[in-house]
Amino acid sequence: ECIAVNGHLIVPGFIDVHVHLRTPGFEYKETIATGTKAAARGGYSTVVCMPNTRPVLDSKEMIQFVYDSAVKEGNCRVFAYGAITKGELGEELTDMHALKEAGVVGFTDDGVGVQEAAVMRRAMEQAAELGLPIVIHAEDESLAGNGCMNEGEVSRRLGLPGIPGTAESVHVARDILLAKQTGAHLHVCHISDADAVEMVRFAKSQGIRVTAEVTPHHLLLTDEQIDGTDANWKVNPPLRTERDRIACLEALLDGTIDMIATDHAPHTKEEKAKPFQTAPFGFVGLEFAFPLLYTHLVETGKMSLAQLVEKFTTSPAKVFGLPGGTLAEGNPADITILDLSQENVIDPNTFASKGRNTPFKGMKVKGWPILTITAGTITYRA
Ligand code: NCD
Ligand code: ZN
Ligand code: ZN
Ligand code: ZN
């Protein structure tokens, strides 16, 4: 829902369920202070952070550490996913009951991929019992190999090793069937492949409890824009084909994909200056996700403003049981004010995030947040 005042739009504070805050262990890439400041600047009141830190967020103590730090230095509400497995091996299950007690909103293998089906099945059985979602990165590492971009015409032309779409779709199909068997709620992260989207559509039609998110970059960019020299175009899952991009957009419109999440993944300038094959995967996204999509999807008539706002607010709140997401009575005062006529260039030099790694650099977009309020406190004012 939105309220127009003085040419500005009042909407519920945004919610991003996929953010890498990098703390602890990778504070040189991002901290809770800088990541949540970036979130507030982007109009977000709430973020859910990923556990691929060092140490991994695989214990009650680590979750408590993140939540305490967020209270001390945070600039928005922070929730965390607990890791599905301990450490960085993807093998031994965490104590999911203890993680739930510490306040996680789900369990994920993002950044520490679970490959074994039997491990994933046991995780789903436990998550179903605890009533929390399993949030999957969805990548078969044996198919992905050492690929650095989407496998296809472009990767072959550039002579770069590819990651096939099946590395994603095979895992999505498998985990949907495991969710059917275990009764777990499965949430698919950063969906990017047309066949994976089709699997989610089928699962929903069968009444299987599955939800999905898509990133701004998979909605707007394709591998055809990659020249193989600039690692600011390297992300996982990779930018795919126009056919995949359109499939994601259509699925967002028909409700197959529930929400938009940025997968904000900050890396340093030095890391992203490495050759395309060796640089780390990931894009930042918090500070410009809304204006970027407002400009490219709403102003172009592909979706309505109300629908876009829903994908940033009501929908993620509902799927993950998070506070906010609506302006209805009884909700916390999480409010974002947008100036739909304000047009600015996406300029990494102005970011609060330590990360500058985005392929959208230099793009001129409209619809910027000018004020963010979280739990009644102003957290950003332009
Ligand atoms: C993420 C990261 O850097 O932690 N990178 C990425 O390209 N998306 C990991 C992930 O989300 O899979
Ligand atoms: Zn991931
Ligand atoms: Zn991620
Ligand atoms: Zn104004």
Side-chain angles (χ1 to χ4, degrees):
E1 71 238 79
C2 343
I3 303 169
V5 177
N6 260 347
H8 296 146
L9 202 70
I10 302 178
V11 297
F14 297 155
I15 298 170
D16 190 342
V17 302
H18 192 147
V19 171
H20 295 271
L21 292 177
R22 304 296 193 209
T23 301
F26 301 100
E27 289 87 349
Y28 65 94
K29 295 180 197 263
E30 193 78 291
T31 65
I32 290 179
T34 58
T36 58
K37 192 170 178 204
R41 288 172 57 90
Y44 290 93
S45 285
T46 298
V47 300
V48 185
C49 70
M50 284 295 175
N52 63 332
T53 51
R54 192 166 289 157
V56 169
L57 307 186
D58 60 4
S59 69
K60 205 168 175 163
E61 290 71 31
M62 292 311 303
I63 299 296
Q64 201 51 58
F65 166 76
V66 167
Y67 283 6
D68 289 346
S69 309
V71 168
K72 266 184 244 147
E73 52 177 288
N75 223 357
C76 71
R77 208 177 272 118
V78 175
F79 292 100
Y81 295 116
I84 291 174
T85 51
K86 290 183 188 167
E88 296 173 7
L89 297 176
E91 289 163 3
E92 192 190 341
L93 290 191
T94 50
D95 182 342
M96 295 177 136
H97 183 79
L99 287 168
K100 186 187 174 177
E101 278 179 355
V104 301
V105 298
F107 306 100
T108 186
D109 70 339
D110 198 54
V112 186
V114 172
Q115 295 299 301
E116 280 280 330
V119 174
M120 186 56 87
R121 185 171 80 159
R122 273 190 285 117
M124 284 194 196
E125 284 165 353
Q126 294 209 27
E129 224 164 272
L130 295 168
L132 288 174
I134 288 284
V135 174
I136 57 160
H137 166 79
E139 179 184 6
D140 183 311
E141 286 167 14
S142 70
L143 289 173
N146 65 346
C148 63
M149 67 177 294
N150 184 52
E151 180 183 297
E153 251 174 71
V154 183
S155 68
R156 283 189 286 275
R157 172 160 46 78
L158 296 174
L160 289 171
I163 302 171
T166 47
E168 176 175 329
S169 57
V170 162
H171 254 226
V172 169
R174 181 196 80 177
D175 290 354
I176 282 171
L177 294 171
L178 293 174
K180 178 181 176 184
Q181 189 196 7
T182 59
H185 167 197
L186 176 70
H187 178 79
V188 182
C189 285
H190 45 47
I191 201 163
S192 68
D193 174 79
D195 292 329
V197 167
E198 210 44 60
M199 297 295 161
V200 171
R201 186 175 282 117
F202 169 76
K204 285 190 169 187
S205 78
Q206 299 290 301
I208 300 168
R209 184 93 220 280
V210 53
T211 54
E213 68 187 40
V214 64
T215 68
H217 45 275
H218 291 112
L219 288 170
L220 299 178
L221 306 175
T222 68
D223 61 353
E224 285 154 55
Q225 291 161 280
I226 294 175
D227 68 8
T229 64
D230 183 359
N232 287 311
W233 287 79
K234 180 175 178 181
V235 71
N236 200 13
L239 301 176
R240 299 209 192 264
T241 64
E242 180 65 3
R243 183 180 152 263
D244 294 304
R245 186 185 77 83
I246 295 293
C248 289
L249 183 55
E250 280 173 357
L252 184 69
L253 295 174
D254 76 13
T256 299
I257 296 176
D258 301 84
M259 67 196 78
I260 290 158
T262 65
D263 189 14
H264 179 82
H267 295 291
T268 64
K269 206 175 153 190
E270 292 69 35
E271 290 170 315
K272 281 298 201 178
K274 290 181 183 172
F276 204 91
Q277 279 197 62
T278 51
F281 292 96
F283 298 162
V284 292
L286 284 167
E287 281 165 270
F288 52 83
F290 188 86
L292 181 67
L293 293 175
Y294 174 75
T295 303
H296 289 277
L297 300 183
V298 177
E299 287 227 301
T300 55
K302 294 190 173 66
M303 76 193 289
S304 74
L305 176 58
Q307 211 175 4
L308 182 64
V309 170
E310 189 216 336
K311 303 288 185 187
F312 271 76
T313 60
T314 331
S315 185
K318 208 164 149 189
V319 167
F320 287 95
L322 302 170
T326 161
L327 297 173
E329 208 183 319
N331 277 277
D334 290 359
I335 295 162
T336 294
I337 304 185
L338 304 167
D339 184 348
L340 295 184
S341 60
Q342 192 182 131
E343 196 167 20
N344 293 328
V345 169
I346 296 171
D347 177 6
N349 294 317
T350 67
F351 290 173
S353 171
K354 287 191 182 181
R356 302 284 187 266
N357 45 305
T358 170
F360 294 111
K361 166 183 160 182
M363 205 176 257
K364 204 174 188 188
V365 291
K366 250 166 120 170
W368 292 84
I370 56 169
L371 189 82
T372 308
I373 298 172
T374 300
T377 299
I378 295 177
T379 51
Y380 169 64
R381 179 173 233 153

